[in-house]
Amino acid sequence: MEEKVNSLEELLKDSPTNWGRWGKDDEVGALNFLDRQEVLRGIKAVRQGKVFTLQVIIGSDKGDPVWPGRTSAIRINVNDKGYYLAGKNKPLYGGLEYADDIIIMFLQGTTQIDALGHTWYGDRIWNGYNAIETIGGLNKASVLPIAQRGIVGHGILIDVAWCKGVESLSAGEEITLNDLLSCAKKEGIEIQKHDILLIRTGWIAQFFKKGPAEFYKNFLEPGLTYRKELVEWFYKMEIPVLGTDTIANERTTHPETGIVLPLHAALMRNLGVIFNEILWLEDLAEDCRKDNQWDFLYVGAPLKINKATGAPINPVVIK
Amino acid sequence: MEEKVNSLEELLKDSPTNWGRWGKDDEVGALNFLDRQEVLRGIKAVRQGKVFTLQVIIGSDKGDPVWPGRTSAIRINVNDKGYYLAGKNKPLYGGLEYADDIIIMFLQGTTQIDALGHTWYGDRIWNGYNAIETIGGLNKASVLPIAQRGIVGHGILIDVAWCKGVESLSAGEEITLNDLLSCAKKEGIEIQKHDILLIRTGWIAQFFKKGPAEFYKNFLEPGLTYRKELVEWFYKMEIPVLGTDTIANERTTHPETGIVLPLHAALMRNLGVIFNEILWLEDLAEDCRKDNQWDFLYVGAPLKINKATGAPINPVVIK
Amino acid sequence: MEEKVNSLEELLKDSPTNWGRWGKDDEVGALNFLDRQEVLRGIKAVRQGKVFTLQVIIGSDKGDPVWPGRTSAIRINVNDKGYYLAGKNKPLYGGLEYADDIIIMFLQGTTQIDALGHTWYGDRIWNGYNAIETIGGLNKASVLPIAQRGIVGHGILIDVAWCKGVESLSAGEEITLNDLLSCAKKEGIEIQKHDILLIRTGWIAQFFKKGPAEFYKNFLEPGLTYRKELVEWFYKMEIPVLGTDTIANERTTHPETGIVLPLHAALMRNLGVIFNEILWLEDLAEDCRKDNQWDFLYVGAPLKINKATGAPINPVVIK
Amino acid sequence: MEEKVNSLEELLKDSPTNWGRWGKDDEVGALNFLDRQEVLRGIKAVRQGKVFTLQVIIGSDKGDPVWPGRTSAIRINVNDKGYYLAGKNKPLYGGLEYADDIIIMFLQGTTQIDALGHTWYGDRIWNGYNAIETIGGLNKASVLPIAQRGIVGHGILIDVAWCKGVESLSAGEEITLNDLLSCAKKEGIEIQKHDILLIRTGWIAQFFKKGPAEFYKNFLEPGLTYRKELVEWFYKMEIPVLGTDTIANERTTHPETGIVLPLHAALMRNLGVIFNEILWLEDLAEDCRKDNQWDFLYVGAPLKINKATGAPINPVVIK
């Protein structure tokens, strides 16, 4: 009986993997699908010259939407006009003055790209590297190779919230493969092989509307979750990148087993799918609903941070 | 006599400004030149599907190249396989484990976009806002509006080091307007109105080759500097973005007067030109020299950080 | 009518000050009362050789008790056995290995000593220095001079919670001068001139017992508050140091006027009394109740941090 | 032949240990020697009421003296008069304003007490705990138990620099047991069992006099080093605490073998001696030379930081 499954090993024992597919040294996984032809396919989607940026704001008056346990970024001025007024700093020769600041933040504390080595089970991370490699910084499958390559391709928005006629999916609401396909149909598009898949739930916007107290109460994110056919579809369609306006890109737990974040295991760790989380899709979605163009060029590159488990990104979408 | 000039007010008294050109509330300056037509002009430059990312690496074994006084970023794991080995953390239900990290960094401590309010003189920042607005965080002309808009346009690389036949310009070496124009000619291109201008000096690569001790000795960066005709050319050509592989995008001081960073005043503060500093141009330049395509689509968006004086960016160039 | 008073200027218009009492350059205020004779008076209180440390723990599983808006300290290992296991670090020659860590914290985010320049009104801090001096770091009346001098004297514990027969004072409960005097009487001691005054409310222990959610709900600390006779008593008794097991050493607001933290103004800013906040007094109090010795040698010195608004301290009490 | 020794295991194979002496759960080691009688012995040393604080300043204009690889503390205001001037913050009701700051620092980046688990060899830390316990924070033998107990006892200053007639010992200069004993004799004192031993080299003062560039050049600290008879003397004399005005409390390497920091192994890891490093002894020493009182009450307690490898301390000495 399925409800007796209590481990990822068991749940995913027949699940497909791409380990070794791009050699034993690979660290970028499904990004390999985005070759020069795919870049040019993305370019063709640009017809209007419209630009959208998909990062949430760091430092809103409500703080930052982050996974429970992480905290909002702290940005602090270390120089500004006040320092000159108080005689703490002198203008540069000629009179130039400047403001300067530092930040302290979780690298996954805003819109970000997960390194393929960010999560694992069974002591092996993406491509079979030993989880020991994560200690003190990711020796293997860090975010750096992804950041050096960049992510450019043909993207589509599946506005599930709109397709379901709601402002936001509700806590724990599942998105099925059928939801995706029928929503694409409603939008008048067909999901193609190698498409960068952005899924809108309306969820992250609730953080900014309702504030953190309400947002985190009984925290259970909506989204995709582990289903055999869904994972096989990702495998067959060779989806390189999955992005969602939720913190974790998937339902917090698998409904039947309670297993936490099974798609991080099945898609990221096993298939090498790149996760782009905490996206801001409100403005893009509104525009797509107006002009009925749901596909675009997606261009993004997380910060190049050596050994990092993930890195912030402000993705750019061009229609 | 020019050598008696000792203030930016005097040096730039007849220098052009764009204050008010886009309304009194403008915070993105010359980015306004990058409209939908310019986006589409950039798109047309994509012919091969090649992708380059232009950020320097954070956390190299030599540290990070930063303006003297700033320090290298500190990235630290706060969870990884070690925590599980030592019993400090338990796997999530089902067995998923993860690595997590934080970073402490100067927002201008890597490849970054300066906010228009980052530097000023005469108590007024870009568009005339009071410099008091910078205290504790930029109320006006922070990097946020730039990050929300994104930067997309037609870019060109002027490989001055290559044109001069050197691996790197030398300390304090000036790049003149004529250098730019003749180098473009050598590359077989013509700089056009609204082009995003990337200038390669070879300088920042020396940090990684020689290490910080050698790099900072008698620190005096090469680059453009204040010349009346240069500033007027920027004004007339309506250059939206200037990027260089140096820390400050210009010669550290004005040769004749010793005034520090006069182009931050003349271009950024007065004209609203967006500065993209500390670029990594080595791989792009090598490719341009091989395939002789020196123009491209430039796509980038700094992180959306509220009130910030600047923000990291990993720009993507597509040829 | 008193309820119309809405400013510290008005409330404290006849309140005593010690400005200028120790010269125009003084930065340690009432610490001047603690001369060598007072040190020796403190030494005489040591009769048993018992030692108590009065700091709360940083990094408890419930976090740290801090003023709302501040956040708990973050302590992170940057080296440990895991780094050696993963090959990230090599033993020193001969085989020595080590663990190392960093901390990010509010300087007032644990048991601490306030600098005399920490709070002010009317644009003047302690001794009349201009509040402009606080910008970017305290030029005047920072915690440094206090840390260099150290705090050593005859201390007494007034266990108000015990005297009132409660585990902890309730939210907003006022402690009057009469409460202090009658509690001292019950303890069998008399408060003497120049005594370091430690007042136990039982409040901070509730943070660790109940957790932050309960602790911060309807946050209104109990404690002393502004009363004309109380301030005059502090002035006349020349109390050098006031310490309490609350975050702010006083009732959050003045009951009749709603003015926030009036004793920070009347005692710290005007009289130069040193505030020692967020004390852990549970173990000391329990022992005093047992052996009936309520006086002791108090020895403490906040960290010597240049320009700081306050600094952590782990005070030592010897009976 | 001794020069073939290349490991701590070999060098220290016959070296004494105190493991198990205070039970298998002990985490404070030689502090156990400081009982109530020792506290009272320390109290008796107070004859004049003079107070000295022994921490170096954090945030001097030259930075902080730290072990190579660590960096100076960063202290930053997050509120001050500037924020009110710029309208970024409003006074509390009644008019109170305040300044607030945070710090980012290595816990061993100033005068500090090492946790007994700070260094180890052979996979075992103090008292035999497994070095695995250090991962992510010290589960065992952290600085917390030391901070909770406090350090109070009879201290003496051995001013080796003065005894040798130099301003500062030179790089790599060894202090022998005989140096200690003869210097004590010159001072007219005798080192007694359980004395807190402070040794002055003059070394750390050179950091502030000469600046970091000169200080770190060919970095090789002077001090005690491993000698069989020295370690046995510490063992026999039951020295609870060793403090020096150097960063590591011992010569950087063992002269004959090159083994790094052998006393961290022999004294801290094996005997449980508490190390108090980076002391500021200049003012105390000057006074001792004047009044010829070389003994005193030492009172100090590092910050109570859960799981920390060490913690800052501002020790107080009373004569």
Side-chain angles (χ1 to χ4, degrees):
Chain A
M1 288 161 63
E2 196 182 0
E3 62 274 28
K4 292 194 173 166
V5 172
N6 64 6
S7 74
L8 287 163
E9 268 94 349
E10 214 177 336
L11 187 69
L12 306 181
K13 63 179 186 294
D14 300 321
S15 206
T17 91
N18 282 322
W19 290 14
R21 182 171 183 161
W22 297 286
K24 68 179 177 47
D25 294 330
D26 180 75
E27 303 181 283
V28 300
L31 270 196
N32 285 289
F33 294 128
L34 294 182
D35 59 14
R36 286 165 65 171
Q37 292 313 310
E38 288 299 334
V39 171
L40 293 173
R41 185 167 74 93
I43 290 289
K44 283 194 202 112
V46 181
R47 302 187 281 274
Q48 311 184 64
K50 289 181 184 170
V51 173
F52 298 87
T53 57
L54 304 188
Q55 191 200 357
V56 298
I57 293 175
I58 292 175
S60 85
D61 55 4
K62 296 197 171 63
D64 305 327
V66 293
W67 188 260
R70 295 190 187 121
T71 50
S72 293
I74 300 174
R75 190 208 61 79
I76 318 170
N77 270 19
V78 295
N79 195 41
D80 57 36
K81 186 64 192 176
Y83 286 70
Y84 299 101
L85 287 176
K88 290 274 169 48
N89 206 345
K90 288 180 188 172
L92 298 169
Y93 182 76
L96 199 73
E97 298 179 346
Y98 68 99
D100 208 14
D101 43 12
I102 68 152
I103 200 163
I104 304 165
M105 66 180 293
F106 278 81
L107 283 173
Q108 312 216 358
T110 184
T111 309
Q112 101 286 357
I113 294 289
D114 277 349
L116 285 180
H118 169 47
T119 62
W120 66 88
Y121 64 95
D123 287 343
R124 295 282 152 185
I125 60 176
W126 161 249
N127 218 19
Y129 299 118
N130 194 318
I132 291 286
E133 303 278 4
T134 65
I135 296 180
L138 273 55
N139 274 344
K140 296 290 180 182
S142 83
V143 82
L144 184 58
I146 299 171
Q148 284 176 311
R149 182 182 175 105
I151 307 170
V152 183
H154 181 266
I156 53 167
L157 176 68
I158 308 293
D159 189 349
V160 175
W162 173 69
C163 286
K164 293 197 171 195
V166 295
E167 182 181 295
S168 168
L169 268 60
S170 53
E173 186 169 353
E174 180 179 350
I175 300 173
T176 65
L177 175 57
N178 193 53
D179 289 336
L180 289 186
L181 299 177
S182 64
C183 186
K185 198 170 183 183
K186 178 171 173 183
E187 292 175 353
I189 62 171
E190 194 180 358
I191 305 174
Q192 295 175 282
K193 241 180 148 173
H194 303 162
D195 273 354
I196 292 172
L197 191 61
L198 305 187
I199 299 175
R200 178 176 173 271
T201 65
W203 181 257
I204 216 73
Q206 304 306 306
F207 174 87
F208 295 99
K209 281 186 190 162
K210 297 179 175 170
E214 182 73 10
F215 181 76
Y216 289 117
K217 200 156 66 183
N218 305 320
F219 185 75
L220 183 67
E221 290 199 311
L224 299 173
T225 189
Y226 174 74
R227 300 297 168 201
K228 196 173 190 331
E229 70 276 12
L230 180 80
V231 173
E232 283 169 354
W233 180 85
F234 266 85
Y235 179 62
K236 186 190 66 183
M237 293 296 285
E238 299 178 349
I239 300 296
V241 179
L242 171 65
T244 315
D245 58 345
T246 62
I247 295 176
N249 243 356
E250 63 172 305
R251 194 183 189 278
T252 303
T253 55
H254 184 236
E256 288 77 14
T257 64
I259 287 175
V260 180
L261 301 178
L263 291 182
H264 275 68
L267 299 184
M268 182 196 299
R269 185 254 198 191
N270 289 351
L271 293 185
V273 175
I274 304 300
F275 276 30
N276 189 180
E277 300 167 332
I278 318 183
L279 284 169
W280 180 254
L281 298 173
E282 298 305 291
D283 298 304
L284 173 62
E286 188 182 353
D287 187 75
C288 292
R289 293 193 294 264
K290 279 186 194 159
D291 71 5
N292 208 31
Q293 178 180 343
W294 296 91
D295 72 331
F296 39 74
L297 175 68
Y298 173 106
V299 181
L303 295 185
K304 290 180 183 172
I305 308 178
N306 197 15
K307 300 185 187 303
T309 74
I313 187 173
N314 185 1
V316 177
V317 151
I318 314 173
K319 291 172 55 172
Chain B
M1 288 162 61
E2 196 184 0
E3 62 272 26
K4 290 193 174 167
V5 173
N6 64 7
S7 75
L8 286 163
E9 268 94 348
E10 214 177 336
L11 186 69
L12 306 180
K13 63 178 186 293
D14 301 321
S15 206
T17 92
N18 282 323
W19 290 13
R21 183 170 183 161
W22 298 285
K24 68 180 177 49
D25 294 330
D26 180 76
E27 302 182 283
V28 300
L31 270 196
N32 285 289
F33 293 129
L34 293 181
D35 58 14
R36 286 165 65 171
Q37 291 313 310
E38 288 298 334
V39 171
L40 293 172
R41 185 166 75 91
I43 290 289
K44 284 195 202 111
V46 181
R47 302 187 281 273
Q48 312 184 63
K50 289 181 185 170
V51 173
F52 298 87
T53 58
L54 305 188
Q55 192 199 356
V56 298
I57 293 176
I58 292 175
S60 85
D61 56 4
K62 295 197 172 65
D64 306 326
V66 294
W67 188 259
R70 295 190 187 121
T71 50
S72 293
I74 300 174
R75 188 209 61 79
I76 318 171
N77 270 20
V78 294
N79 195 41
D80 57 35
K81 186 64 193 177
Y83 286 69
Y84 298 101
L85 287 177
K88 289 278 170 44
N89 207 344
K90 288 179 187 170
L92 297 169
Y93 182 76
L96 199 73
E97 298 180 346
Y98 68 98
D100 208 15
D101 44 11
I102 68 152
I103 200 162
I104 305 165
M105 67 179 293
F106 278 82
L107 283 174
Q108 313 217 358
T110 184
T111 310
Q112 102 285 355
I113 295 289
D114 278 349
L116 286 179
H118 169 48
T119 63
W120 66 88
Y121 63 95
D123 287 343
R124 295 283 152 184
I125 60 175
W126 160 251
N127 219 19
Y129 299 117
N130 194 318
I132 291 286
E133 302 279 3
T134 65
I135 297 180
L138 273 54
N139 274 344
K140 296 289 179 181
S142 83
V143 82
L144 184 57
I146 298 170
Q148 285 176 310
R149 183 183 175 106
I151 307 171
V152 182
H154 182 267
I156 53 168
L157 175 67
I158 308 293
D159 188 349
V160 176
W162 173 69
C163 286
K164 293 196 171 195
V166 295
E167 181 181 297
S168 168
L169 269 60
S170 54
E173 186 169 351
E174 180 179 350
I175 300 173
T176 65
L177 177 56
N178 193 52
D179 289 336
L180 289 186
L181 299 177
S182 65
C183 186
K185 201 170 179 182
K186 179 172 173 185
E187 292 175 352
I189 62 170
E190 193 180 359
I191 305 174
Q192 294 174 283
K193 239 180 149 174
H194 302 162
D195 273 355
I196 292 171
L197 191 62
L198 305 187
I199 300 175
R200 178 175 173 272
T201 66
W203 182 255
I204 216 74
Q206 304 306 305
F207 174 87
F208 295 99
K209 281 187 190 163
K210 297 179 176 171
E214 182 74 10
F215 180 76
Y216 289 117
K217 200 156 66 183
N218 306 319
F219 185 74
L220 182 68
E221 290 200 309
L224 299 174
T225 190
Y226 175 74
R227 299 298 168 199
K228 196 173 190 333
E229 70 276 12
L230 179 80
V231 173
E232 283 170 355
W233 179 85
F234 266 85
Y235 179 62
K236 187 190 65 181
M237 294 296 285
E238 299 177 347
I239 300 296
V241 179
L242 171 66
T244 315
D245 59 345
T246 62
I247 295 175
N249 244 355
E250 63 172 306
R251 193 185 191 276
T252 303
T253 55
H254 184 235
E256 288 78 15
T257 64
I259 287 175
V260 180
L261 300 179
L263 290 183
H264 275 68
L267 299 184
M268 182 196 299
R269 186 255 200 190
N270 289 351
L271 293 184
V273 175
I274 303 301
F275 276 32
N276 188 181
E277 299 168 333
I278 318 184
L279 284 168
W280 180 255
L281 299 173
E282 299 305 291
D283 299 304
L284 173 62
E286 189 182 353
D287 187 76
C288 293
R289 292 192 294 265
K290 280 186 193 158
D291 71 5
N292 209 32
Q293 179 181 344
W294 296 90
D295 71 331
F296 38 76
L297 174 67
Y298 173 106
V299 181
L303 296 185
K304 291 180 183 171
I305 307 177
N306 197 16
K307 298 185 187 303
T309 73
I313 187 173
N314 185 1
V316 178
V317 151
I318 314 173
K319 290 172 54 171
Chain C
M1 288 160 64
E2 196 183 359
E3 60 273 27
K4 292 194 173 166
V5 172
N6 64 6
S7 75
L8 286 163
E9 269 94 348
E10 215 177 334
L11 186 69
L12 306 180
K13 64 179 186 292
D14 300 321
S15 206
T17 92
N18 282 322
W19 291 14
R21 182 169 183 162
W22 297 284
K24 68 179 177 49
D25 295 330
D26 179 75
E27 302 181 283
V28 299
L31 271 196
N32 285 288
F33 294 128
L34 294 181
D35 57 15
R36 286 165 65 172
Q37 291 314 310
E38 287 299 333
V39 171
L40 292 173
R41 184 167 73 93
I43 290 290
K44 284 194 203 112
V46 181
R47 302 186 280 274
Q48 311 184 62
K50 288 181 184 171
V51 173
F52 298 88
T53 58
L54 305 188
Q55 191 199 357
V56 298
I57 293 176
I58 292 175
S60 85
D61 55 4
K62 296 197 172 62
D64 305 327
V66 293
W67 188 259
R70 296 191 186 120
T71 49
S72 292
I74 300 174
R75 190 208 61 81
I76 318 171
N77 270 19
V78 295
N79 195 41
D80 56 36
K81 186 64 193 176
Y83 286 69
Y84 298 101
L85 288 177
K88 290 275 169 45
N89 207 345
K90 289 180 188 170
L92 298 168
Y93 181 76
L96 198 74
E97 299 180 345
Y98 68 100
D100 208 14
D101 44 12
I102 68 152
I103 200 163
I104 305 165
M105 66 179 293
F106 278 81
L107 283 173
Q108 313 216 357
T110 185
T111 309
Q112 101 286 355
I113 294 289
D114 278 348
L116 286 180
H118 169 47
T119 62
W120 66 88
Y121 64 95
D123 287 343
R124 295 282 152 183
I125 60 175
W126 160 251
N127 218 20
Y129 299 117
N130 194 319
I132 291 287
E133 303 278 5
T134 65
I135 297 180
L138 273 54
N139 274 344
K140 296 289 179 182
S142 82
V143 82
L144 184 57
I146 298 171
Q148 286 176 310
R149 182 182 176 106
I151 306 171
V152 182
H154 182 266
I156 52 167
L157 176 67
I158 308 293
D159 188 348
V160 176
W162 173 69
C163 286
K164 292 197 172 196
V166 295
E167 181 181 298
S168 167
L169 268 61
S170 54
E173 186 169 351
E174 181 178 348
I175 299 172
T176 64
L177 176 56
N178 193 52
D179 289 336
L180 290 187
L181 299 177
S182 64
C183 187
K185 199 170 180 182
K186 177 171 174 184
E187 292 175 352
I189 61 171
E190 193 180 358
I191 305 174
Q192 295 174 282
K193 240 180 150 175
H194 302 163
D195 272 354
I196 292 173
L197 191 61
L198 305 188
I199 299 175
R200 179 175 173 271
T201 65
W203 182 256
I204 217 73
Q206 304 306 307
F207 174 88
F208 296 99
K209 281 187 190 162
K210 298 180 176 170
E214 182 73 10
F215 180 76
Y216 289 117
K217 200 157 65 183
N218 306 319
F219 185 74
L220 182 69
E221 290 199 310
L224 300 173
T225 190
Y226 174 75
R227 300 296 168 199
K228 196 174 190 330
E229 70 275 13
L230 180 79
V231 173
E232 283 170 355
W233 180 85
F234 266 86
Y235 179 62
K236 187 190 65 181
M237 295 295 285
E238 298 178 348
I239 301 295
V241 179
L242 171 66
T244 315
D245 59 345
T246 62
I247 296 176
N249 243 356
E250 63 172 306
R251 194 185 190 275
T252 304
T253 55
H254 184 235
E256 288 78 15
T257 64
I259 288 175
V260 181
L261 300 179
L263 290 183
H264 276 68
L267 298 184
M268 182 196 299
R269 186 254 198 191
N270 290 351
L271 293 185
V273 175
I274 304 301
F275 276 31
N276 189 180
E277 299 168 333
I278 318 183
L279 284 169
W280 180 255
L281 299 174
E282 298 305 291
D283 298 304
L284 173 62
E286 189 182 353
D287 186 76
C288 293
R289 292 193 294 265
K290 280 187 194 158
D291 70 5
N292 208 31
Q293 178 180 344
W294 297 90
D295 71 332
F296 38 75
L297 174 68
Y298 173 106
V299 180
L303 296 185
K304 291 180 183 172
I305 308 178
N306 197 16
K307 298 185 187 304
T309 73
I313 187 173
N314 185 2
V316 177
V317 151
I318 313 174
K319 290 172 56 171
Chain D
M1 288 162 60
E2 196 183 2
E3 61 273 26
K4 291 194 174 166
V5 172
N6 64 6
S7 73
L8 286 163
E9 268 94 349
E10 215 177 334
L11 187 68
L12 306 181
K13 63 178 186 295
D14 300 321
S15 206
T17 91
N18 283 322
W19 291 13
R21 182 170 184 162
W22 298 284
K24 69 179 177 47
D25 293 331
D26 180 75
E27 302 181 283
V28 300
L31 270 196
N32 285 289
F33 293 127
L34 294 181
D35 57 14
R36 285 165 66 172
Q37 291 314 311
E38 288 299 333
V39 170
L40 292 173
R41 186 167 72 93
I43 290 289
K44 284 194 202 111
V46 180
R47 301 186 282 274
Q48 311 184 62
K50 289 181 184 170
V51 173
F52 297 87
T53 58
L54 304 188
Q55 192 199 356
V56 298
I57 293 175
I58 292 176
S60 86
D61 55 4
K62 295 196 172 64
D64 305 327
V66 293
W67 188 259
R70 296 191 187 120
T71 51
S72 293
I74 301 174
R75 189 209 60 80
I76 319 171
N77 270 19
V78 296
N79 194 41
D80 57 35
K81 186 64 192 176
Y83 285 70
Y84 298 101
L85 288 177
K88 289 277 168 46
N89 206 344
K90 288 180 188 170
L92 298 169
Y93 182 76
L96 199 74
E97 299 180 346
Y98 68 99
D100 207 15
D101 43 12
I102 67 152
I103 200 162
I104 304 165
M105 66 179 294
F106 279 81
L107 283 174
Q108 312 216 359
T110 184
T111 309
Q112 101 286 357
I113 295 289
D114 278 348
L116 286 180
H118 169 48
T119 63
W120 65 89
Y121 64 95
D123 287 344
R124 294 283 152 184
I125 59 175
W126 160 250
N127 218 20
Y129 299 118
N130 194 318
I132 291 287
E133 303 279 4
T134 66
I135 297 181
L138 273 55
N139 274 344
K140 296 289 178 183
S142 83
V143 82
L144 184 58
I146 299 170
Q148 284 176 310
R149 182 181 175 107
I151 307 171
V152 182
H154 181 266
I156 53 166
L157 175 68
I158 307 294
D159 189 349
V160 175
W162 173 70
C163 286
K164 292 195 172 196
V166 295
E167 181 181 297
S168 168
L169 268 60
S170 54
E173 186 170 352
E174 180 179 347
I175 300 173
T176 65
L177 177 57
N178 193 51
D179 289 336
L180 289 186
L181 299 178
S182 65
C183 187
K185 199 170 182 182
K186 179 172 172 184
E187 292 175 353
I189 62 172
E190 192 179 359
I191 304 175
Q192 295 173 283
K193 239 179 150 176
H194 303 162
D195 273 355
I196 292 172
L197 192 61
L198 305 187
I199 300 175
R200 179 177 172 270
T201 66
W203 181 257
I204 216 72
Q206 304 306 306
F207 174 87
F208 296 99
K209 281 187 191 163
K210 298 178 175 171
E214 183 74 11
F215 180 77
Y216 289 117
K217 201 155 66 183
N218 306 319
F219 185 76
L220 182 68
E221 290 198 311
L224 300 173
T225 190
Y226 174 75
R227 299 297 168 199
K228 197 173 189 331
E229 69 276 12
L230 181 79
V231 173
E232 284 170 354
W233 180 85
F234 266 85
Y235 179 62
K236 186 190 64 180
M237 293 296 285
E238 299 177 347
I239 300 296
V241 179
L242 171 66
T244 316
D245 59 345
T246 62
I247 295 175
N249 243 355
E250 63 173 306
R251 193 183 190 275
T252 303
T253 55
H254 184 235
E256 288 77 15
T257 63
I259 287 175
V260 180
L261 301 179
L263 290 183
H264 275 68
L267 299 184
M268 182 196 301
R269 186 255 199 191
N270 290 351
L271 293 185
V273 175
I274 303 301
F275 276 31
N276 188 181
E277 299 167 333
I278 318 184
L279 284 169
W280 180 254
L281 298 174
E282 299 305 291
D283 299 304
L284 173 62
E286 190 183 352
D287 187 76
C288 293
R289 293 191 294 265
K290 279 186 194 158
D291 70 6
N292 208 33
Q293 179 180 344
W294 297 90
D295 70 333
F296 38 76
L297 174 68
Y298 172 105
V299 181
L303 295 185
K304 291 180 183 171
I305 307 177
N306 197 16
K307 298 185 188 304
T309 73
I313 187 173
N314 185 2
V316 177
V317 151
I318 313 174
K319 290 172 55 173

